[in-house]
Amino acid sequence: MAAVGVRVRPTKGFLLELKETLSMIREGYKLLSIKRDELTSKLKALLDELAEVRRKVMVEVEDALSSFREVYAILGPDAVEAYASMNRGLLKVKVVPVSIMGVHTPTIKGVEFPGVKDRFGPIIRGVATRLGGIVKDFLKVVELESRAEAIALDLERTNRIVNALEKIIIPEMEATIKYVEDVLEEESLEEFVRLKKIREILERRREAG
Amino acid sequence: MSTYLVVRCHARKQKLIPPEDMRRLLESKSLKELVDKLVLTEYWKKVGILRELTAESLYNAYTEVLKERLEWFYHNASKAHKRFLREYCRKFEVENVCGILRRKVTKTPVEVGRLVMLDFLELDYKPLIEAETVEDCLKVLSEVEMYREPSIRGLELYERYKTLLPVEAELKKAYYEAVFEALDALSGMDRAVVGEILGAEVDVENCFTATAPFLYGYSPELVKGFLVRRTFQVPLANLIKAVEAGSREEILKLLKPYREVVEAMLDGREEVAYALARRRLRKMIPKRMPRVFTSIAYAIMCMRLCEDEWRDLCFVTYAVELNIPREHAAMCLICG
């Protein structure tokens, strides 16, 4: 018999070792269950926050795009394209990892944003500012999405381990322990019977002699 | 005297698209439907023959009609008034130059069809179009008498700020200086009426400029340089104070004559502010028309109406193509 990749030796030493391992596995299972519950609640809170931020951003984007279309219709494609290509500066962000229950999740901080200051003419500058502001909101969405993704991936892994422990490893270990105990008990009974028989033989020989 | 021109203007004014028809055009569901609705207008002869209906091809067709109209106004005016009309129509030349400069920025070829190139304005566009960079273009422009100073200043500012905004402001300032000087070519009443409209136009431009530091953090010193000095209802001192103002209330108080326009700007709805401003300028026309019923100012106001119609039609075309909600788009119509 083999339990979770370990060759079973029906010895008392092995039984003790198995029992110790099982106790450690049970401890790990308990901790992983706590981690799973915690990650689930964190993920739920994150998804709620993400839905709220995304809804807010969608309203802002819709509004800004509606204004943009009006501005585009007033100024025409030439002016809009020219102003867009005159935009200077790059979007620079800093990603700082934050640990949630041992899961590394990103926190995104905007360091530098492309500015509209002193660059855009009347009519377009309003919509350019709004679209620039939306980039900041997008960063928040990206941060929440990446966090949720990292947590969800770890949750999936943790859940798989907890399930494996709960449904496969622990029952198998328990079964192995029971098997070893049974074998040992059988061996001990066999030994007892053997000793008894030997004693009987020895007694019979003594009486005959 | 431009009697023939003025008499013809009375007739031509009737051919302009009324506001209710413009709103009906805005309800079109496609460019095809929009073009079909233009069948009874002067635009039909240009748009009816278009093989491919796109916003760009329609824009070019409207521009051709506008060009024909403006050239007609000019060629039928008396010699004495031609000087003013030439300077007045330079606004399109300035817009063309700005458009060409923008193309230099985007490094895309200039579409000549989009330019309002008037045959009575002497600017040679060929070297401007052929110039490769904004700097080259401004150097070519500095060889033209009218644009010498603004293009030299503009070039300095462009090299410093790497944006066309100060260049455009310099060109606009030069345009307004020239057109206000050319007002001398008009008689007393005409000068007063046209001067009021141009002054209000300058005021509106200045209002947009003056709110930039408060709303968008533009550099006050740079913005002060954009202000056009020929003001009408808002004194220059108020505009300078508005540039440095730190609160909405203060700005509204300083730019009080244009309260509704400034309010829209402060609410971040600049496209609506633009339409309100143009609408306000347009409303000045019917009030003043009876005062100048038989003089050149009437023709100039007709030219403004033609320009508004062109801008509205271009807007309507893009609004239909981009499927802008009608109630939103209606707010941006100049004709109201």
Side-chain angles (χ1 to χ4, degrees):
Chain A
M1 187 179 178
V4 283
V6 182
R7 199 160 153 257
V8 176
R9 285 172 284 119
T11 59
K12 279 198 173 169
F14 185 72
L15 181 66
L16 278 173
E17 201 181 302
L18 264 184
K19 280 185 175 170
E20 266 174 34
T21 310
L22 180 64
S23 146
M24 202 182 71
I25 287 174
R26 279 199 175 124
E27 194 66 30
Y29 166 74
K30 211 170 124 189
L31 286 172
L32 284 172
S33 298
I34 293 169
K35 184 186 177 185
R36 181 184 60 181
D37 296 346
E38 188 60 28
L39 284 180
T40 310
S41 78
K42 285 269 179 207
L43 183 64
K44 198 173 170 300
L46 260 178
L47 289 175
D48 288 345
E49 194 185 346
L50 179 63
E52 179 61 28
V53 172
R54 203 182 268 170
R55 193 189 53 77
K56 199 179 127 225
V57 170
M58 285 311 286
V59 171
E60 276 174 29
V61 169
E62 219 169 90
D63 199 37
L65 279 181
S66 159
S67 294
F68 176 76
R69 282 189 298 180
E70 282 163 24
V71 168
Y72 186 91
I74 291 171
L75 294 177
D78 286 18
V80 174
E81 277 170 29
Y83 280 119
S85 61
M86 271 187 289
N87 201 6
R88 291 285 183 282
L90 291 170
L91 172 68
K92 282 186 188 165
V93 294
K94 197 175 171 188
V95 182
V96 184
V98 171
S99 173
I100 299 174
M101 297 295 289
V103 184
H104 291 293
T105 58
T107 303
I108 303 170
K109 281 182 187 163
V111 179
E112 204 180 301
F113 292 93
V116 295
K117 189 188 163 192
D118 298 342
R119 303 203 176 279
F120 289 83
I123 311 174
I124 198 165
R125 63 194 180 185
V127 79
T129 308
R130 283 165 79 184
L131 290 170
I134 287 170
V135 171
K136 290 176 190 167
D137 295 332
F138 277 154
L139 285 184
K140 185 75 189 158
V141 172
V142 169
E143 181 189 303
L144 290 173
E145 276 184 357
S146 341
R147 273 185 177 189
E149 196 183 337
I151 290 177
L153 280 174
D154 202 83
L155 179 64
E156 191 191 355
R157 199 173 62 89
T158 310
N159 204 26
R160 222 172 21 233
I161 296 170
V162 169
N163 279 342
L165 288 174
E166 192 185 329
K167 307 268 192 255
I168 302 163
I169 297 169
I170 293 175
E172 271 188 18
M173 291 282 273
E174 283 169 346
T176 312
I177 287 170
K178 194 170 179 308
Y179 168 75
V180 174
E181 276 173 347
D182 287 352
V183 171
L184 286 175
E185 200 185 326
E186 212 172 288
E187 274 179 3
S188 133
L189 199 65
E190 208 174 278
E191 187 65 22
F192 176 73
V193 172
R194 196 183 300 125
L195 282 173
K196 211 175 169 185
K197 287 277 179 199
I198 290 168
R199 202 188 303 152
E200 277 175 17
I201 293 166
L202 285 173
E203 274 177 9
R204 248 185 278 141
R205 276 186 191 167
R206 214 179 292 141
E207 281 168 14
Chain B
M1 287 295 287
S2 305
T3 317
Y4 171 74
L5 172 70
V6 179
V7 172
R8 290 289 294 121
C9 277
H10 282 277
R12 291 202 78 156
K13 189 174 163 279
Q14 307 307 316
K15 289 187 180 176
L16 293 173
I17 302 172
E20 56 273 21
D21 285 0
M22 195 62 86
R23 283 193 291 274
R24 222 167 284 144
L25 288 175
L26 199 54
E27 283 161 18
S28 309
K29 289 190 171 52
S30 65
L31 292 180
K32 172 87 176 63
E33 192 185 328
L34 172 72
V35 169
D36 289 343
K37 285 179 186 171
L38 289 173
V39 70
L40 293 175
T41 66
E42 278 186 19
Y43 296 91
W44 179 249
K45 63 179 182 212
K46 297 284 179 193
V47 296
I49 53 166
L50 288 176
R51 283 187 186 168
E52 195 189 357
L53 283 185
T54 60
E56 274 67 38
S57 63
L58 287 173
Y59 180 98
N60 293 352
Y62 304 148
T63 304
E64 274 181 47
V65 174
L66 177 76
K67 269 194 287 195
E68 282 174 11
R69 282 176 174 180
L70 294 174
E71 282 164 5
W72 178 86
F73 277 108
Y74 179 80
H75 292 301
N76 286 291
S78 68
K79 204 175 173 186
H81 296 141
K82 275 183 176 162
R83 186 185 147 224
F84 176 78
L85 290 184
R86 210 168 36 241
E87 292 309 323
Y88 178 78
C89 288
R90 244 184 244 285
K91 70 157 87 174
F92 298 104
E93 198 174 77
V94 169
E95 277 188 23
N96 291 344
V97 171
C98 292
I100 293 171
L101 288 171
R102 286 173 195 147
R103 288 287 183 173
K104 302 299 159 200
V105 171
T106 52
K107 308 240 182 275
T108 48
V110 178
E111 283 176 46
V112 180
R114 292 184 73 84
L115 305 177
V116 187
M117 288 162 77
L118 302 166
D119 62 3
F120 56 88
L121 294 177
E122 62 278 3
L123 182 68
D124 183 10
Y125 288 95
K126 203 168 169 253
L128 291 175
I129 292 169
E130 284 170 358
E132 285 194 357
T133 61
V134 173
E135 287 88 342
D136 292 345
C137 205
L138 285 171
K139 276 174 197 157
V140 171
L141 200 63
S142 67
E143 285 161 19
V144 181
E145 175 66 32
M146 147 96 193
Y147 298 108
R148 183 165 298 136
E149 280 182 36
S151 49
I152 291 171
R153 273 199 306 273
L155 183 59
E156 275 173 33
L157 292 166
Y158 179 76
E159 281 170 349
R160 197 185 312 160
Y161 294 100
K162 291 287 168 212
T163 167
L164 280 184
L165 200 58
V167 183
E168 289 177 1
E170 286 298 329
L171 291 171
K172 271 187 193 168
K173 272 162 68 180
Y175 161 71
Y176 283 116
E177 280 302 322
V179 79
F180 274 102
E181 270 176 33
L183 270 176
D184 295 342
L186 304 182
S187 64
M189 177 61 86
D190 289 342
R191 194 185 309 144
V193 168
V194 178
E196 280 175 10
I197 294 171
L198 284 173
E201 195 177 298
V202 168
D203 278 353
V204 167
E205 291 269 356
N206 281 339
C207 284
F208 271 103
T209 307
T211 52
F214 174 71
L215 287 173
Y216 307 104
Y218 282 37
S219 316
E221 289 315 309
L222 179 73
V223 166
K224 275 182 202 167
F226 295 171
L227 293 172
V228 184
R229 306 211 163 236
R230 305 265 191 165
T231 59
F232 174 50
Q233 284 178 309
V234 183
L236 192 64
N238 276 22
L239 290 162
I240 292 171
K241 279 182 197 164
V243 170
E244 286 160 353
S247 73
R248 185 188 163 97
E249 289 69 34
E250 204 181 335
I251 290 176
L252 282 171
K253 201 173 153 189
L254 289 164
L255 309 176
K256 203 178 168 188
Y258 299 91
R259 193 182 173 91
E260 81 280 12
V261 177
V262 178
E263 265 178 343
M265 280 180 219
L266 294 173
D267 291 339
R269 305 285 298 173
E270 293 222 334
E271 63 283 5
V272 177
Y274 163 81
L276 285 174
R278 299 275 326 182
R279 223 177 273 173
R280 190 190 160 104
L281 295 174
R282 189 184 163 93
K283 275 183 190 160
M284 290 174 81
I285 293 174
K287 284 181 196 163
R288 283 158 180 79
M289 269 186 162
R291 279 160 61 193
V292 287
F293 204 62
T294 54
S295 62
I296 186 71
Y298 188 88
I300 294 165
M301 284 190 259
C302 278
M303 280 171 87
R304 285 195 72 91
L305 293 176
C306 290
E307 184 195 334
D308 285 348
E309 184 181 277
W310 171 66
R311 291 192 194 280
D312 268 348
L313 261 182
C314 294
F315 172 76
V316 167
T317 305
Y318 281 110
V320 170
E321 193 187 58
L322 298 171
N323 203 18
I324 297 174
R326 302 299 169 250
E327 61 279 13
H328 283 221
M331 283 163 70
C332 297
L333 280 179
I334 298 168
C335 65

